[in-house]
Amino acid sequence: MSQIVESAMYGLSQLFLLPVLLLVAALFFYAFYALGCFVVQARQRQRGDLRAFELRAALNDRPGLHLTALEAIAVKRLEMLRIASRVGPMLGLVATMIPMGPALMALADGQLQEVSRNLMVAFSAVILALIASAITYGIASVRRRWLATELAEIEHESLPDEGHDDPVAPLAAEGVL
C-alpha cells in the first residue's frame, strides 16, 4: 500500500515540473520588464515628469481622492513586484526539488548523463528564480520609498498647518521609510 502512495506522490510531483519551469521563465522575463519600466520611471523622476509621480498623477486625474484611496493605489502598484519577489524563491525550490527524484533514480541505475541533465534543470531554474526575485525585491523597495515620500508630501500639503509637524514625514521624504 505504501508503494502505491509513494508512486502516486512521485508521479503527481513530476506533473508539476513543466508548469513550474514555465512560471520561473515568466517570472524571469517579468523581472526584466519591471526593471526596464523602473529605469524609465527613474529617469522621468529625475526630469520632474509628472507621469513618474504615480500618486500625484492619480490625484490630478481624480482630485477628490482621499489619502486612504492613494494608499490603496500605492499598495496596488507594488503588489505584483511584492508577489514576484516572494514567490520566486518558492518556485525555485520546487523547480530544484522536482528533478532531484529522477536524478536520484538515474544515479541508482548508473545513468550519469541523466543525473547531469536533471541537475542542470534543477540548478538553472533556481538560479533564474533567485535572480528574478532579487531584481523585483530591489525595485519594490525603491518604489515603496518613492510612493511613501509622495504620500507624505501630499498628506503634508493637504493638512492645515497646526504648528507641529508630523515626525514621520521628514523620514519618508528622506527615504528612510
Side-chain angles (χ1 to χ4, degrees):
M1 180 68 169
S2 89
Q3 271 189 331
I4 294 171
V5 172
E6 290 170 9
S7 294
M9 289 181 74
Y10 174 78
L12 187 61
S13 71
Q14 294 306 303
L15 290 175
F16 286 98
L17 181 59
L18 183 60
V20 169
L21 291 177
L22 291 174
L23 286 172
V24 167
L27 181 66
F28 186 76
F29 289 118
Y30 169 75
F32 280 95
Y33 168 77
L35 183 60
C37 292
F38 173 76
V39 169
V40 168
Q41 186 179 15
R43 295 188 121 197
Q44 288 174 332
R45 287 177 69 87
Q46 286 176 340
R47 289 188 299 232
D49 188 343
L50 182 63
R51 292 174 298 178
F53 296 88
E54 300 169 81
L55 298 180
R56 292 219 180 259
L59 197 55
N60 282 348
D61 291 343
R62 298 187 344 232
L65 283 177
H66 192 271
L67 288 174
T68 306
L70 290 172
E71 287 175 10
I73 291 170
V75 168
K76 184 178 179 183
R77 299 276 166 87
L78 292 172
E79 192 168 33
M80 187 61 192
L81 288 168
R82 292 181 67 222
I83 290 170
S85 68
R86 287 181 169 92
V87 169
M90 291 181 236
L91 290 174
L93 179 61
V94 171
T96 300
M97 298 309 292
I98 292 173
M100 293 302 246
L104 291 172
M105 289 174 56
L107 182 62
D109 294 340
Q111 300 172 349
L112 294 180
Q113 191 169 11
E114 188 67 19
V115 171
S116 175
R117 188 185 71 74
N118 282 308
L119 291 178
M120 181 182 68
V121 169
F123 292 120
S124 297
V126 75
I127 289 167
L128 294 180
L130 290 174
I131 289 170
S133 293
I135 290 169
T136 55
Y137 177 78
I139 295 168
S141 296
V142 173
R143 289 194 68 221
R144 184 180 316 118
R145 179 178 43 87
W146 287 350
L147 292 167
T149 301
E150 274 184 72
L151 193 59
E153 289 171 356
I154 291 168
E155 185 176 18
H156 182 71
E157 292 167 4
S158 68
L159 293 177
D161 189 17
E162 297 177 1
H164 65 286
D165 291 331
D166 179 9
V168 178
L171 295 174
E174 293 174 13
V176 175
L177 294 178

